[in-house]
Amino acid sequence: MTLQELIEQGFQKQHDLNCSETILKGANDTYRLGLDENAIRLAAGFGGGMGVENACGVVTGMVMALSARYAEERGHTSPEMKDKIKLAIDKFESQYRSTNCFCLKQNHRDEEKGCHELIRSGGRILDEIMKERKDD
């Protein structure tokens, strides 16, 4: 099952997660990243644009998932990780014209479904990028 499919099947509501938690926990389950619940909890403060409608939680969740998959020893020693993160952000931003939570909520948040469209798109983007892993 892909991350996008997992999200479409109600993963966020089933686990009562914010946007960033949904992406990171969903990616962990889908791609077997090996993160424990303490690591997943790190995403808690990134939901809702870090709680202040700043950087989109979907984007920060994607960055954390890509870091878990592609980081070598440290960020500055992980060129593939940086390339994958840039690609993910570029794809998201080209679709929505922003990575700012406030702007995204104004233009793409649904009263009933919340930011489901954005979260689903983040899942699709990660699915595309994770398939490209060199050593898979």
Side-chain angles (χ1 to χ4, degrees), residues 20 64 101:
S20 190
M64 287 183 276
C101 178

Side-chain angles (χ1 to χ4, degrees), residues 2-119:
T2 67
L3 177 55
Q4 182 178 352
E5 291 168 340
L6 191 73
I7 292 165
E8 288 171 350
Q9 293 179 4
F11 183 79
Q12 180 180 17
K13 285 190 180 192
Q14 290 169 0
H15 296 279
D16 191 28
L17 303 170
N18 69 34
C19 49
S20 190
E21 292 166 329
T22 300
I23 293 293
L24 185 59
K25 182 171 177 50
N28 188 55
D29 292 358
T30 301
Y31 313 122
R32 295 183 280 291
L33 299 176
L35 302 173
D36 65 19
E37 288 302 314
N38 286 326
I40 300 298
R41 195 170 54 241
L42 293 172
F46 289 93
M50 299 186 296
V52 294
E53 296 185 328
N54 199 320
C56 173
V58 174
V59 174
T60 57
M62 288 192 303
V63 170
M64 287 183 276
L66 290 165
S67 296
R69 168 65 67 92
Y70 295 101
E72 293 169 12
E73 193 170 312
R74 288 175 292 287
H76 67 274
T77 64
S78 306
E80 184 178 13
M81 179 198 70
K82 290 179 183 181
D83 291 343
K84 299 295 185 181
I85 289 170
K86 181 180 181 342
L87 179 61
I89 292 171
D90 287 350
K91 284 181 179 223
F92 189 89
E93 198 165 34
S94 72
Q95 184 172 355
Y96 294 107
R97 305 286 180 236
S98 182
T99 59
N100 177 271
C101 178
F102 180 79
C103 295
L104 292 166
K105 283 174 70 173
Q106 283 189 321
N107 296 308
H108 301 285
R109 189 173 196 282
D110 180 90
E111 284 298 316
E112 291 179 30
K113 296 181 181 180
C115 292
H116 183 76
E117 174 195 339
L118 299 166
I119 296 166

